[in-house]
Amino acid sequence: MAHLLGGRVARSTHREYGQAMLEIIDTGDLLAGFTKSASIQVWMSHGDRVEDMPPGFGVIGRSANSSYAAVRDSSGMNFGVQFHPEVVHTPEGPAILKNFLYNICGCRPLWNMKSFIESTIDSVRRDVGSAGVVLGLSGGVDSSVVAGLLHRAIGDQLHPIFVNNGLLRLDEEKKVVETFRDKMGMRLIYVDASERFLVRLRGVSDPEAKRKIIGNEFVRVFEEEAGKLSDVRFLAQGTLYPDVIESVSFKGPSATIKSHHNVGGLPEQMNLKLVEPLRELFKDEVREVGRELGLSDEIVERQPFPGPGLAVRILGEVTHNQADILRQADHIVVTEIKKAGLYNEVWQAFAVLLPVKTVGVMGDERTYENVIAVRAVTSRDGMTADWARLPADLLATVSNRLINEVKGINRVVYDISSKPPSTIEWE
């Protein structure tokens, strides 16, 4: 806004990534309800700043690194903030957004998850008609909510397909079949394609290449299975808004951070049309949809798991042995966090297998084995995250179990980086 309206923007000598303090200069309109000269915590993510404001603009908030961290023009029609009011790490963000939406724009808060479900069901029925829909069901929150939503909308026209790509969590295939076929009565199709995926990944270490290989193979399997069904013309996916933002520039000049198996990994030509009912929702909103649909807490509260699975938590080439090591390690991390009663307190907690080996001593023998990194973060929507302050005793227990129970591991490290500048996943 500053650039287009005649101001000057330049690279900052001091980048701001993460927590910062915003000093309130003006308590009118956008910052109404706050105390003048008080400071509030905000979340920054930028390497530039406004050096000179456009004509007619005045400062209403500033940070240590930016004299113009929040601005307003004299007409009261244009407002700008350098920080992110929409993320959980800006605690007063909702109040700022409410000021803008309700007091300045005159919006009314009529939209909710119940109305979203109703409108989505109507839209799906209208778009799909009597055709069949295949869905990639992983057992995670996103695909489970899509399954519940589509099952309510079109019943047995939905054909959930669960693909074992060899990169799943421990015993994942058993849990998915039991939950969705046996308990929920869906017509689940189970496909064990683990060897097929692992062969395609042989010798591949580039993370983007791995994602796209998995994404393309994922779609190929679906097309093959859909070809065995009559009148299937649609492929449903649990794509969320953060996936879209980080994969393609959707509504604005956002940079592509990574490809996603639901977005960047799709081939140019597909025989199936896409149905992505959650495409403009964040994870916390998806959980609300799940609760509204009556899905169990075990499903709704499940932590996110990447579409490419363990492949993006194994740095470098993926092999059978590495996948088995990481599967066991990840199970221990999650199990101990659940035992500590912290599973619902963190956004994601998992293990990462690093492509380095380290010297160790076990008994009277020297070892040269793998390093596991433990990653645990707090977040609300996945767009920003901070590292979780897990108790030292819990980390000690996790480390001891990993080294003692998982053959091939002799060192454990804990990741204390936030997003930004890091990402939640390592690849």
Side-chain angles (χ1 to χ4, degrees):
M1 184 183 289
H3 172 72
L4 293 175
L5 296 181
R8 186 169 67 91
V9 179
R11 284 288 180 185
S12 176
T13 56
H14 177 72
R15 299 181 302 170
E16 281 187 306
Y17 293 106
Q19 181 178 318
M21 301 305 294
L22 179 77
E23 181 186 353
I24 307 297
I25 304 300
D26 187 313
T27 57
D29 32 61
L30 189 64
L31 300 179
F34 294 96
T35 302
K36 190 172 183 179
S37 298
S39 293
I40 62 172
Q41 178 185 314
V42 296
W43 196 260
M44 297 283 194
S45 178
H46 60 93
D48 52 14
R49 66 177 184 178
V50 177
E51 295 287 352
D52 295 307
M53 285 192 295
F57 275 77
V59 60
I60 60 176
R62 64 189 171 206
S63 69
N65 188 51
S66 177
S67 300
Y68 310 118
V71 300
R72 175 191 61 217
D73 77 344
S74 56
S75 72
M77 295 296 290
N78 293 303
F79 297 82
V81 294
Q82 181 82 71
F83 58 92
H84 288 266
E86 78 281 9
V87 303
V88 69
H89 298 101
T90 300
E92 302 297 340
I96 295 172
L97 291 173
K98 285 179 180 178
N99 281 340
F100 180 73
L101 292 171
Y102 303 162
N103 301 336
I104 296 171
C105 299
C107 294
R108 298 174 60 201
L110 302 177
W111 190 87
N112 55 46
M113 287 308 160
K114 186 175 181 179
S115 64
F116 169 80
I117 291 172
E118 292 171 353
S119 63
T120 301
I121 286 175
D122 289 341
S123 176
V124 167
R125 287 173 177 168
R126 183 173 60 252
D127 294 342
V128 169
S130 60
V133 179
V134 286
L135 163 68
L137 185 58
S138 68
V141 177
D142 306 339
S143 66
S144 298
V145 171
V146 171
L149 194 57
L150 295 184
H151 196 249
R152 180 176 291 190
I154 59 176
D156 286 345
Q157 289 173 240
L158 174 67
H159 302 279
I161 299 176
F162 173 60
V163 178
N164 183 349
N165 61 9
L167 302 163
L168 304 174
R169 289 168 284 200
L170 190 66
D171 295 329
E172 186 73 15
E173 65 277 8
K174 297 176 184 177
K175 295 175 184 176
V176 170
V177 171
E178 179 185 352
T179 299
F180 294 94
R181 187 186 66 191
D182 301 341
K183 292 183 179 179
M184 299 179 69
M186 294 187 187
R187 301 170 69 180
L188 179 68
I189 300 169
Y190 171 62
V191 183
D192 186 355
S194 53
E195 190 64 28
R196 176 173 169 174
F197 277 83
L198 290 170
V199 167
R200 292 275 284 113
L201 289 168
R202 191 175 295 159
V204 179
S205 59
D206 179 75
E208 283 297 281
K210 288 194 289 188
R211 284 178 178 273
K212 290 183 178 179
I213 286 171
I214 294 168
N216 278 290
E217 202 64 26
F218 180 76
V219 174
R220 295 282 79 81
V221 172
F222 264 72
E223 289 184 325
E224 291 170 13
E225 292 301 318
K228 302 173 185 178
L229 302 168
S230 60
D231 199 30
V232 169
R233 296 202 300 271
F234 293 87
L235 169 66
Q237 295 189 141
T239 307
L240 305 191
Y241 194 44
D243 301 329
V244 178
I245 294 172
E246 294 186 345
S247 304
V248 292
S249 184
F250 180 50
K251 290 184 178 177
S254 56
T256 297
I257 298 171
K258 64 183 180 182
S259 66
H260 185 268
H261 84 289
N262 284 350
V263 183
L266 291 174
E268 292 182 3
Q269 297 295 327
M270 280 206 324
N271 296 328
L272 303 172
K273 296 179 182 179
L274 281 177
V275 176
E276 297 176 308
L278 309 180
R279 188 179 175 87
E280 294 191 33
L281 297 185
F282 289 97
K283 180 73 75 172
D284 55 328
E285 296 174 311
V286 174
R287 295 189 198 279
E288 287 186 47
V289 172
R291 294 186 191 97
E292 191 71 33
L293 288 169
L295 298 180
S296 69
D297 288 342
E298 183 180 0
I299 293 175
V300 172
E301 298 300 333
R302 202 164 194 199
Q303 291 181 1
F305 188 67
L310 300 180
V312 293
R313 295 176 181 174
I314 298 172
L315 275 61
E317 182 185 3
V318 178
T319 67
H320 282 279
N321 184 56
Q322 288 171 323
D324 287 338
I325 289 174
L326 186 55
R327 231 186 307 273
Q328 296 174 59
D330 187 74
H331 180 69
I332 289 172
V333 171
V334 173
T335 297
E336 289 302 325
I337 287 177
K338 284 183 176 179
K339 281 184 182 178
L342 297 175
Y343 185 77
N344 291 337
E345 302 299 317
V346 297
W347 174 261
Q348 275 177 272
F350 55 89
V352 180
L353 184 61
L354 303 187
V356 294
K357 290 195 173 184
T358 178
V359 175
V361 178
M362 291 186 176
D364 295 326
E365 296 183 1
R366 175 183 181 276
T367 62
Y368 194 59
E369 295 180 338
N370 297 286
V371 181
I372 283 287
V374 175
R375 177 75 156 146
V377 298
T378 58
S379 182
R380 186 177 65 187
D381 52 30
M383 293 302 295
T384 60
D386 199 8
W387 63 277
R389 274 63 169 175
L390 297 182
D393 289 346
L394 171 58
L395 291 174
T397 300
V398 169
S399 178
N400 287 338
R401 285 199 62 190
L402 288 173
I403 293 171
N404 291 332
E405 298 177 30
V406 185
K407 187 176 180 180
I409 297 174
N410 69 352
R411 191 178 298 267
V412 178
V413 297
Y414 190 56
D415 184 346
I416 60 169
S417 49
S418 63
K419 175 187 178 180
S422 302
T423 56
I424 294 176
E425 299 293 342
W426 275 49
E427 285 194 338

